[in-house]
Amino acid sequence: MVATAPSSLSDASNRDIQRGFMTLSRYILQEFGDYSAEAQDFSALMSRISLAGKMIAHHLSKAGLVENALGVTGTVNVQGEEVKMMDEYANTVFIRAIEQSGLVCRLVSEEMDEPAHLPDNCSLGRYAILFDPIDGSSNIDADLSIGSIFSIIRAEGIDEGNYEDLLQPGHKQLAAGYILYGPSTQLVYSMGKGVHAFILDPSLGEFVLWKDNIQTPSRGTTYSLNEGYYCQWAGAVQEFVRYVHRTEGYTARYSGALVADVHRILMYGGVYLYPGTLEQPDGKLRLLYEASPLAFLLEQGGGRAATTAGDRILDIHPTALHQRVPLVIGSADNVAEVENILRQHATTGPSC
Ligand code: AHG
Ligand code: MN
Ligand code: MN
């Protein structure tokens, strides 16, 4: 006789049970549809990344109550930015978590001048991971939303010279994603077959499926950029800002954390910009572990990501690990609108 589920449970209880079983690792194996070596690799890698996310979320949840979690370390990173205690903590957690996967020989991080080299893994290490351990560091001490961003590429070499095998265009990413530490902790990822979001159930200690195959609306009302730089922008970017000011329906949202702002746009639609300034013509955001993974996700969700010069982010051939890029990312129609305005006003001088 075939066993059936007990009928005394309500439909809602049965749904909760079903939901609890759709964990990240199960979903990844299901996406592959087999137990191939690659499916096992990705399940293992994502489970280490999600473990790093759980540890960071846990540390953040009590950061104000313990010693040495908030504030700065007193050092400056390769970007010339001051390093926060949480940046250093999250960087170490990622390295240690991924080290134990055995599958990654080198890791590139915003917080490390040179890639971390994990010699014990290099005989098997088929992948490299590029990551921003804490994105939105200026939000940390005020307990506001922040994130971690990651990109997984195939890189079997151990090139320690120019790291040329790590300098791959974004369209070659095998997977990309972010962890958002907000009211709940979410992990959003894509392996090139749609964008899927998981919420950390703290009582289970598992990331459980929240939404699969997320599509960003083709158009949204949010524009997200730091208007404090208005006088440092090119005339074309200033023209876009004047356009949204006089166009009914646009509304500004800017949190100071790229992950949070892009997550909002993935969910509701709109456009995020971080253009170059007079001082930093390529802007602030880094190609390999900020712009590129988020571009991969947004494109998978039906959106677009380009430079302010109109080049597709995922087609850029990087020339340096910590290269910066002026970014426009979001809903397809909004990005196209920005591109049109920037093109039309390419020769307009700045005014202030
Ligand atoms: P990070 O904390 O990794 O250095 O990144 C911060 C980035 C990004 O998250 C955010 O969108 C942007 O910096 C904010 O910069 P501004 O303060 O210049 O607007
Ligand atoms: Mn960042
Ligand atoms: Mn960072």
Side-chain angles (χ1 to χ4, degrees):
M1 202 170 93
V2 179
T4 52
S7 57
S8 56
L9 288 178
S10 68
D11 287 352
S13 299
N14 274 313
R15 274 198 303 276
D16 282 349
I17 291 171
Q18 276 311 111
R19 188 179 295 122
F21 282 127
M22 191 45 90
T23 59
L24 180 62
S25 46
R26 179 178 162 202
Y27 193 84
I28 287 169
L29 289 174
Q30 189 174 298
E31 258 204 290
F32 275 96
D34 59 30
Y35 288 90
S36 62
E38 204 179 16
Q40 304 283 353
D41 284 358
F42 270 81
S43 181
L45 274 181
M46 291 295 291
S47 116
R48 300 315 291 180
I49 290 171
S50 72
L51 178 59
K54 287 177 210 174
M55 288 185 70
I56 295 166
H58 181 62
H59 197 58
L60 285 169
S61 71
K62 55 186 172 56
L65 304 175
V66 298
E67 295 288 310
N68 296 329
L70 299 180
V72 295
T73 60
T75 54
V76 168
N77 67 14
V78 60
Q79 332 280 335
E81 293 159 359
E82 64 177 9
V83 178
K84 298 266 172 76
M85 299 293 251
M86 200 59 77
D87 290 320
E88 199 169 85
Y89 174 85
N91 194 55
T92 306
V93 165
F94 260 90
I95 295 170
R96 295 285 164 262
I98 288 160
E99 187 171 38
Q100 291 161 18
S101 74
L103 294 164
V104 173
C105 170
R106 285 161 306 158
L107 289 132
V108 174
S109 159
E110 180 198 346
E111 303 302 339
M112 300 185 296
D113 196 348
E114 301 286 316
H117 189 223
L118 308 173
D120 290 350
N121 290 355
C122 290
S123 53
L124 271 180
R126 295 185 274 274
Y127 309 98
I129 294 187
L130 304 94
F131 67 107
D132 178 358
I134 296 285
D135 173 68
S137 298
S138 71
N139 285 1
I140 296 170
D141 292 353
D143 205 9
L144 300 170
S145 288
I146 53 178
S148 302
I149 310 174
F150 60 89
S151 162
I152 304 176
I153 60 171
R154 188 176 302 283
E156 300 183 42
I158 48 165
D159 174 10
E160 288 191 67
N162 301 324
Y163 305 113
E164 267 167 33
D165 60 328
L166 299 176
L167 299 175
Q168 300 183 17
H171 64 77
K172 288 185 135 181
Q173 290 172 99
L174 301 174
Y178 58 76
I179 301 158
L180 172 66
Y181 311 102
S184 66
T185 299
Q186 284 205 26
L187 191 151
V188 179
Y189 84 95
S190 176
M191 294 194 306
K193 287 184 281 177
V195 185
H196 319 298
F198 292 73
I199 291 181
L200 178 61
D201 182 329
S203 54
L204 296 178
E206 290 276 5
F207 280 98
V208 175
L209 181 65
W210 177 49
K211 284 179 195 287
D212 58 358
N213 296 309
I214 297 168
Q215 287 288 301
T216 190
S218 58
R219 186 169 187 87
T221 57
T222 295
Y223 76 99
S224 186
L225 81 175
N226 185 344
E227 290 191 47
Y229 299 121
Y230 185 87
C231 288
Q232 297 178 48
W233 285 329
V237 177
Q238 293 179 337
E239 182 51 39
F240 167 72
V241 172
R242 287 195 289 271
Y243 167 79
V244 294
H245 286 176
R246 62 175 184 261
T247 305
E248 208 175 318
Y250 263 112
T251 189
R253 291 285 184 274
Y254 192 78
S255 75
L258 175 69
V259 166
D261 290 323
V262 167
H263 185 73
R264 168 189 285 278
I265 286 165
L266 180 66
M267 293 299 144
Y268 301 153
V271 64
Y272 174 99
L273 296 92
Y274 204 113
T277 58
L278 298 177
E279 268 178 29
Q280 289 196 305
D282 289 328
K284 177 181 184 186
L285 301 177
R286 280 60 51 124
L287 174 62
L288 286 175
Y289 42 80
E290 289 182 316
S292 206
L294 296 181
F296 190 81
L297 289 173
L298 262 285
E299 284 203 6
Q300 282 295 314
R304 284 169 71 135
T307 67
T308 46
D311 301 314
R312 182 180 176 230
I313 294 289
L314 295 183
D315 285 339
I316 298 173
H317 285 261
T319 53
L321 291 176
H322 300 288
Q323 178 173 343
R324 297 177 194 261
V325 66
L327 178 67
V328 184
I329 186 166
S331 298
D333 292 356
N334 295 83
V335 173
E337 185 175 56
V338 173
E339 285 174 329
N340 273 337
I341 292 172
L342 296 184
R343 218 176 6 249
Q344 277 166 26
H345 294 271
T347 56
T348 306
S351 65
C352 237

